[in-house]
Amino acid sequence: RLGGMDQTLMRSLFEGFSGRHGHAIATVKAVLEARGLPAGPVRAPLLPLDAAGRAEVAACLRRLGLEGG
């Protein structure tokens, strides 16, 4: 069961976000990397998030007070 912060993070990242800048797996990996956790690259044929997607992830983490590791 997700806690309140987890639910907020998931809602912020995935309601209308996935697919705009990349696949959901790429989004999760970008979040983990932004938090300082090794996530590794996405496997082909997927692509990592583009610059706009990474910026949106970073902004979301900042809003939630979760920036950095």
Side-chain angles (χ1 to χ4, degrees):
R1 195 167 149 91
L2 294 176
M5 185 65 75
D6 296 319
Q7 290 176 0
T8 302
L9 177 62
M10 297 302 282
R11 221 176 281 114
S12 296
L13 288 173
F14 291 104
E15 284 182 1
F17 177 79
S18 258
R20 271 200 325 242
H21 301 291
H23 192 276
I25 298 298
T27 302
V28 170
K29 287 179 173 280
V31 169
L32 292 172
E33 292 286 343
R35 297 281 296 132
L37 300 168
V42 294
R43 286 188 277 170
L46 301 180
L47 298 172
L49 285 189
D50 59 17
R54 289 190 307 275
E56 192 166 337
V57 164
C60 179
L61 292 174
R62 264 192 309 281
R63 276 195 314 277
L64 296 173
L66 297 173
E67 57 196 336

